[in-house]
Amino acid sequence: MKKLSFILLLVFSISSTYAQDISYEQLENLHYYGEELRKTDSYLSERCVLDIYYPKNTKDFATIVWFHGGGITGGEKEIPEALKNQGFAIIGVNYRLSPKVKAPTYIEDAAAAIAWTFKNIEEYGGDPKKIFVSGHSAGGYLASMVGLDKSYLQTHGIDANEIAGLIPFSGHTITHFTVRKEQGISGEQPTIDKYAPLFHVRKDAPPLLLITGDRELELLGRYEENAYLMRMMKVVGHKETVLYEMDGYGHGMTHPAFPLLIKEVKRILAK
């Protein structure tokens, strides 16, 4: 896996030349919950918004829903610069944070934002069959939870298998340390319960690309968690789980990982 790091510059160079003639528009602070619900919860109304950056003069484009990191206790929605101008849309999502809310509220918010994308992306020209879900750290955890535990999207009448691909960056695959803190468990005590992506391994999940930093530089065994998820997905018969380890990079490994995300999106679209 470490041998892949030397090709990243080449991949990025190729991807950066893609779709240069397309113009883009960015809309900010769109609510992904309905008005009636927003009236009942001021914190929901404040936090549960998203930004969309999309190509204006093309149709049937793919979309990447991107969840920010921050330990589920901080962070703000973002449209990563490395994902812009690639011919697809990027949706940056805010979600409610602990300790103002507890699990599973922020997972439910992530599902609601993904559901909004499925139900609204055609209005902007996108194809709801080409929706990818990604994010870094806490965002990677949320992406994996909604993609693997089908119950969250079922609430919105959506089958999680409709997601075109899951690409979490350095996300917990055991129960998130913030969820454990809410349960009175220390961050050094690993647990696997219904709030762990590992609890929901299944053969029929969307393609899963796991990306982490160097195992010796990552947080608290984050590489090993992802390696375990990869192994268990293979054990249950999932055919498209891949793990990349970014040699020499720690937890903040997004910059070298973005080209791999772009490459994975293009690989799946080319099927």
Side-chain angles (χ1 to χ4, degrees), residues 111 115 118-119 150-160 162:
F118 272 101
K119 295 174 181 179
K150 299 181 75 173
S151 67
Y152 291 103
L153 282 175
Q154 282 174 344
T155 301
H156 302 273
I158 295 171
D159 186 341
E162 295 178 34

Side-chain angles (χ1 to χ4, degrees), residues 50-69:
L50 56 80
D51 298 345
I52 178 170
Y53 177 92
Y54 68 100
K56 292 178 61 178
N57 55 341
T58 186
K59 297 292 182 182
D60 299 324
F61 50 78
T63 301
I64 298 173
V65 180
W66 176 261
F67 293 103
H68 68 80

Side-chain angles (χ1 to χ4, degrees), residues 37-191:
L37 186 57
R38 299 200 308 270
K39 289 179 179 178
T40 68
D41 188 330
S42 61
Y43 186 51
L44 177 149
S45 184
E46 171 195 345
R47 283 292 303 180
C48 295
V49 293
L50 56 80
D51 298 345
I52 178 170
Y53 177 92
Y54 68 100
K56 292 178 61 178
N57 55 341
T58 186
K59 297 292 182 182
D60 299 324
F61 50 78
T63 301
I64 298 173
V65 180
W66 176 261
F67 293 103
H68 68 80
I72 314 181
T73 61
E76 291 293 330
K77 58 184 166 59
E78 59 178 344
I79 305 291
E81 287 293 327
L83 299 181
K84 290 183 176 181
N85 305 324
Q86 299 294 329
F88 45 71
I90 309 103
I91 291 179
V93 182
N94 263 357
Y95 45 89
R96 285 172 286 180
L97 302 171
S98 185
K100 288 189 175 181
V101 299
K102 298 182 185 298
T105 299
Y106 28 78
I107 307 171
E108 294 168 345
D109 289 348
I114 295 169
W116 182 95
T117 305
F118 272 101
K119 295 174 181 179
N120 291 277
I121 198 62
E122 282 186 290
E123 295 181 17
Y124 300 91
D127 186 342
K129 296 179 181 178
K130 301 175 182 176
I131 294 172
F132 298 80
V133 182
S134 186
H136 175 239
S137 194
Y141 165 77
L142 294 174
S144 297
M145 279 300 303
V146 177
L148 293 178
D149 182 350
K150 299 181 75 173
S151 67
Y152 291 103
L153 282 175
Q154 282 174 344
T155 301
H156 302 273
I158 295 171
D159 186 341
N161 288 358
E162 295 178 34
I163 296 171
L166 300 168
I167 309 104
F169 288 20
S170 197
H172 265 309
T173 73
I174 64 172
T175 304
H176 195 281
F177 64 75
T178 294
V179 180
R180 281 178 273 155
K181 182 178 180 180
E182 293 171 0
Q183 298 171 344
I185 300 170
S186 76
E188 290 75 29
Q189 176 62 58
T191 63

Side-chain angles (χ1 to χ4, degrees), residues 232-261:
M232 295 311 298
M233 289 292 284
K234 290 179 180 292
V235 166
V236 299
H238 193 261
K239 301 299 184 183
E240 290 191 88
T241 299
V242 176
L243 170 62
Y244 286 165
E245 178 183 12
M246 310 308 295
D247 187 23
Y249 291 88
H251 187 60
M253 36 57 75
T254 56
H255 179 71
F258 282 129
L260 295 176
L261 189 164

Side-chain angles (χ1 to χ4, degrees), residues 211-229:
I211 311 175
T212 77
D214 190 312
R215 69 189 75 184
E216 299 300 335
L217 301 174
E218 264 285 9
L219 290 177
L220 295 173
R222 194 65 55 91
Y223 165 81
E224 287 78 7
E225 289 182 38
N226 280 263
Y228 190 22
L229 177 59

